[in-house]
Every structure is written in C-alpha cells, then in structure tokens.
Amino acid sequence: PREGGQARGCARPLLSSFAHNMAPAKKIQKKKVVKKFAIDCSQPVDDGIMDAASFEKFLLDKIKVNGKVGNLADLVTVSREKAKVIVSAETDFSKRYLKYLSKKYLKKQQLRDWLHVIANKKDSYELRYYNIHDNEADEDED
C-alpha cells in the first residue's frame, strides 16, 4: 500500500488501524441557554401611533419554532414591560429573525415609512423615527 491512503488498483481508501480501536463517541448534553432579546417601542407608543400589546400579540402569532407557527410551547416566551417587548428563547433563536418580524409588523401597520428598527445594544432593538429634520436643514442651506 501507498502512503496516500489508497491501495494500488483499489478506489477505496484504506482504513487506518486506529479508526477500528476508537471508543464510540459519547453524546454531549447541551445546557439550556436562554437567549433574551428586547425591542424598545417607547417612542412610537408615547406618540400614540403604535400599540405595544398588539405588537406582542403579533410576535406570539408569527414566531416559528422548528418551522411551525404557533409552536412556541415553553421554548419561547414573549412578555411586555410598559413599551418594551421582551422575547426569551430556550432554543436556537436569532436576533435577526426578531428584526425581520418587527419590520413585518411595521409594514402591516403601515408604519414602515416613519419607523425603522435599530440595534442599540448587543441583545436589543429600538424602533426609531427616521431623521427627516437633518435633511430639511441641509436643503435650506443650498
């Protein structure tokens, strides 16, 4: 046999002797990692153009777990503290998916023209108004 791992005239690679002597792999148990994300809706809620309760219900209805809507069980919880919506997940859950759902809610409520979703911390988003005042000030100078 050659050192390349194949015998001459044989397409199948040779198994090394140590592969036969390996112990079976032990299953490693994952510890429960709770991911917690917050979406701060205080600006639009204070102005009265958005309701945090309806946003919370929208998230409860739309969040998918294992490819199924309404399959939250105890893995994902959505709660609200005044104008902050908090999503806690004990399963794989991406912050980006929360941004996607937030934008979808804003589009459904026809608020996408005035609000956008901005990451203000590592584990939270904030709904903010677009800065239109800066653009108007620049146009006046010309």
Side-chain angles (χ1 to χ4, degrees), residues 8-55:
R8 188 167 292 201
C10 181
R12 199 172 61 201
L14 291 174
L15 293 175
S16 64
S17 60
F18 103 162
H20 293 287
N21 298 334
M22 279 182 60
K26 293 179 184 173
K27 288 189 179 178
I28 301 168
Q29 288 185 344
K30 285 186 178 179
K31 56 184 175 183
K32 286 188 178 179
V33 178
V34 178
K35 293 182 178 180
K36 202 169 186 183
F37 301 107
I39 303 172
D40 185 10
C41 316
S42 53
Q43 284 185 356
V45 169
D46 291 345
D47 292 343
I49 65 166
M50 188 182 133
D51 183 25
S54 70
F55 182 48

Side-chain angles (χ1 to χ4, degrees), residues 134-142:
D134 298 340
N135 296 342
E136 290 174 0
D138 293 341
E139 290 172 6
D140 292 343
E141 291 173 6
D142 291 338

Side-chain angles (χ1 to χ4, degrees), residues 37-46 50 55 81-86 116-118 120-121 124-128:
F37 301 107
I39 303 172
D40 185 10
C41 316
S42 53
Q43 284 185 356
V45 169
D46 291 345
M50 188 182 133
F55 182 48
E81 294 174 9
K82 295 181 184 173
K84 246 187 188 173
V85 178
I86 294 151
H116 58 151
V117 186
I118 292 182
N120 56 350
K121 293 180 194 156
S124 71
Y125 282 116
E126 183 179 5
L127 299 183
R128 282 197 203 157

Side-chain angles (χ1 to χ4, degrees), residues 35-39 55 59 63 87 92-105 112 116-119 121-125:
K35 293 182 178 180
K36 202 169 186 183
F37 301 107
I39 303 172
F55 182 48
L59 289 176
I63 289 177
V87 179
D92 291 340
F93 196 83
S94 80
K95 184 180 167 193
R96 184 85 181 138
Y97 180 55
L98 214 52
K99 182 175 185 177
Y100 161 76
L101 288 174
S102 302
K103 289 166 76 172
K104 195 170 182 172
Y105 173 80
R112 265 306 259 131
H116 58 151
V117 186
I118 292 182
K121 293 180 194 156
K122 186 176 183 264
D123 60 351
S124 71
Y125 282 116

